[in-house]
Amino acid sequence: MAKSKMVEPILCSISSKQNRLTLMISVREDIIPVNFFIKGRHKESVRKTINSTFRYTADRMNFFEIIITDELLSFIDDVIMDISMSYAPSREVLKEARIKSNHSTIEFNVINRSNDQIVQPYTTKKGNLSFRYLEQKLSGKFEEVKMDKNGKLFFRGYFMLPESFVDESTVKLSAIDKRTEITIPITISTVDKNKNIFEMNGQYDILEHLQDDEKDKSFKFYIEAEKKFGEETEKLVSARLKSSIPGNKFPYQTTLKFQHKRKKVICTVTAESKFLRINVKKPNRIKATIKQFKRKWYRFKRGKSLRTIYKSLFVLTGKMPAAKNVIIFESFAGKQYSDNPRAIYEFLKENDYDFKMYWSFDRNNMKKFESNENIKAIRRFSIKWLILMSRAKYWVINSRLPLWLPKPKHTIYLQTWHGTPLKKLGTDIEEVHMPGTTTEKYKRNFVTAASKWDILVSPNNYSTEIFKRAFDYKNAIIETGYPRNDYLTRNNNKEKIRYLKEKLNLPLNKKIMLYAPTWRDNNFYSKGKYKFDLQLDLERLREEFEDEYIILLRMHYLVAENLQISQYENFVYDLSKYDDIRDLYIISDLLITDYSSVFFDYSVLKRPIFFFVFDIEQYRDNLRGFYLDFKNSAPGPFSKTTYELIKDIKNNNEVNGKKFRNFYNEFCYLEDGNASERVVKHLFE
């Protein structure tokens, strides 16, 4: 039977109860399954139909429930078993399609009672769902680990015993060094006896187990089980235990005093394999002193005392005569040379305006721009920055400055902002989910920051009305279009596209998809550092499009993730740290986004836009809310799964006629390539 692409059913969820796996499978609404079945990889003639139950329909997909039992797997009796769906297209022969899985790892399994082995579901390299037999063995993992300043380790985790070891066996946790083995007491409780999974809890006082020697130690962790079978005792040792704790939570470290000597203790997780490890070593006194000094200096720099001194100096120098020919530019809190400030800066340079112009960069981005001959870079909050910033006649900035920083009376603060608002802003947000603030505090701080702006740039009338209300803004607004989009209007040609592709070392013979999602307020590591879970199935996209396309990833500047894409070499490129997204717009043949304002700018190019909105209900109803009737106004189709997105891209490779024109006329009518000139004339002439 022939296989057909684009009709594969998808594993949406998997759960386990009483040694059964319950799978929820989504199937395109227009595809009618005949049945689901499982067959052996090496014994294809041995197959078994799986009973399925229709559950519901949503988003053009039908959802079916199927149950995998150990009896079903015993019937197939193969090392690897594949699961598929048969269906009957109208007026065609019966066809088969493998079930796809978006799950990178699947923790559940079934124990086959007939041969006392584990059957584990897994996702193949091609993204298909399969089952494989594993020998039952002792295994475990830490789920939670903490260490206090006294060197006491607290942990919680799970381990799995072979069936034959479940009853009357002795289990212990061992910390092993090359010269030392320590048994750590643990409390054990049953999680699921049918799956032989047990929870372990315990604590480990490192001081109790240190020995009076000078040698460094590196402890690794293992589970050991022992049981008597008649006259003989059998012992099992697990593989080295890993930790599922995110890397940003580690390391824990402290310095302990032992036998009148100091010992540095570091609890960490190895970078690649994620093994839990404790290192005990003699501290380097010189390094420790330097590190302690740096820590204290860092705290002082970040503390209120230095901020008060700095603010006083800023106010003092701000009372000096204004430097009327000085302009300070800053983009995204000093992280980039980009956006509207860059467009205004380049217009002034190209037209020989007689100003001394400086770019403000934070310390982590200074080196990247110090060597740029086209700009004068100054480090944010340095003494030079303080003097220039406090005396400058003009500030041109696209995001909020720190609230404590005063604006001198002689300074004209041009706030260009950085997007046409789709999601609610400022005082329009009903409930704030960001770290380090409350809803009332956030709104109050936003209004205070906006009160310092003298002129606010707006891309269109729609934005003007929102800015006034959301920022509680009372000063001047100029409706000019966005200066940053002048570049798109003037460089939308084959020569520029080829030049940029060569500059970025991208293949000239491939089309480009640009994926540029926004950040989620409630998904963060810490204040100003946000997580992003890449829901896009890159493997599936590669299967469908690698002959024709490559994908560029562009994360929001607040997102702190380092995406692991090495397995998609020559198909996926992470350009999140590239200076300015405008070049990526120019070279991209289509845009995939979600709730980011990038689609307003990209519309200037009149190219296809696709919205991958897997969490739209959560984002719209619980996080931000939208100003627009998003679905009816957006200039492109919506999809909640990678499968739907692939279908949309294949069927909608041109911009959407009337709907797109209406969108363009409402939001892009000022983007004629002259917005920078209009802003500059208003500001200086």
Side-chain angles (χ1 to χ4, degrees), residues 130-320:
S130 292
F131 295 83
R132 59 187 167 198
Y133 270 106
L134 300 173
E135 291 292 335
Q136 285 205 56
K137 60 183 181 180
L138 181 59
S139 60
K141 180 184 281 189
F142 290 108
E143 292 289 328
E144 185 178 347
V145 178
K146 293 180 181 178
M147 188 175 78
D148 65 18
K149 63 181 180 181
N150 298 315
K152 186 169 283 188
L153 190 74
F154 303 88
F155 59 84
R156 180 180 63 82
Y158 297 89
F159 63 88
M160 178 184 287
L161 284 173
E163 182 83 4
S164 56
F165 273 73
V166 169
D167 298 316
E168 299 179 3
S169 63
T170 303
V171 180
K172 67 178 183 178
L173 175 66
S174 298
I176 300 175
D177 178 63
K178 290 179 181 177
R179 297 170 295 278
T180 311
E181 180 173 347
I182 299 166
T183 299
I184 302 171
I186 54 175
T187 303
I188 299 172
S189 56
T190 303
V191 174
D192 189 336
K193 203 166 184 179
N194 288 314
K195 295 199 299 179
N196 311 336
I197 295 178
F198 301 85
E199 183 179 34
M200 60 177 174
N201 288 273
Q203 59 187 47
Y204 166 37
D205 192 339
I206 294 166
L207 272 177
E208 290 181 9
H209 300 104
L210 288 181
Q211 297 177 1
D212 190 14
D213 60 36
E214 296 294 321
K215 294 178 179 178
D216 294 345
K217 297 182 182 297
S218 181
F219 289 104
K220 303 166 186 177
F221 294 86
Y222 302 85
I223 290 284
E224 297 182 30
E226 199 172 277
K227 183 175 179 178
K228 280 194 173 184
F229 293 91
E231 296 295 321
E232 296 185 4
T233 299
E234 187 174 340
K235 181 178 178 181
L236 291 178
V237 180
S238 72
R240 188 175 169 189
L241 297 191
K242 296 186 177 184
S243 169
S244 59
I245 299 107
N248 65 297
K249 298 290 185 185
F250 282 93
Y252 292 111
Q253 65 180 52
T254 187
T255 301
L256 304 176
K257 197 170 183 180
F258 172 76
Q259 301 285 350
H260 307 293
K261 298 172 185 175
R262 290 189 177 276
K263 294 283 187 179
K264 185 177 182 181
V265 181
I266 303 172
C267 175
T268 188
V269 173
T270 59
E272 291 186 9
S273 301
K274 305 301 180 187
F275 294 125
L276 184 70
R277 178 176 64 195
I278 291 183
N279 291 332
V280 182
K281 57 179 69 175
K282 184 179 178 182
N284 184 311
R285 294 269 179 107
I286 297 174
K287 284 185 178 179
T289 303
I290 293 172
K291 191 169 184 178
Q292 189 177 21
F293 173 78
K294 284 183 175 178
R295 191 182 299 117
K296 287 182 178 179
W297 173 242
Y298 180 81
R299 285 176 182 169
F300 176 69
K301 285 201 303 179
R302 296 287 177 179
K304 291 183 178 179
S305 300
L306 184 61
R307 186 183 299 174
T308 302
I309 295 169
Y310 195 93
K311 182 178 177 180
S312 300
L313 287 172
F314 199 96
V315 172
L316 188 64
T317 53
K319 291 180 179 179
M320 297 171 66

Side-chain angles (χ1 to χ4, degrees), residues 577-592:
K577 293 188 169 98
Y578 185 72
D579 294 351
D580 200 324
I581 195 173
R582 66 184 192 176
D583 289 342
L584 309 186
Y585 290 153
I586 288 289
I587 62 176
S588 298
D589 296 276
L590 62 87
L591 171 70
I592 303 169

Side-chain angles (χ1 to χ4, degrees), residues 13 30 98 122 138 154 177 180 225 243 287 296-297 300 319 337 361 372 376 493 546 602 657:
S13 66
D30 58 325
R98 290 286 302 277
Y122 73 102
L138 181 59
F154 303 88
D177 178 63
T180 311
S243 169
K287 284 185 178 179
K296 287 182 178 179
W297 173 242
F300 176 69
K319 291 180 179 179
Y337 169 57
F361 294 107
N372 190 331
K376 294 178 181 177
N493 56 69
E546 69 175 338
Y602 193 79

Side-chain angles (χ1 to χ4, degrees), residues 617-628:
E617 290 85 4
Q618 163 75 359
Y619 199 93
R620 179 192 61 212
D621 301 335
N622 299 327
L623 285 185
R624 281 291 190 101
F626 301 135
Y627 288 113
L628 290 172

Side-chain angles (χ1 to χ4, degrees), residues 455-484:
I455 305 170
L456 175 61
V457 174
S458 171
N460 45 53
N461 183 256
Y462 158 85
S463 300
T464 299
E465 297 306 312
I466 291 172
F467 288 163
K468 284 179 181 177
R469 183 182 65 254
F471 302 153
D472 193 19
Y473 184 70
K474 304 292 193 299
N475 295 331
I477 294 185
I478 52 174
E479 242 174 64
T480 57
Y482 269 150
R484 66 188 184 189

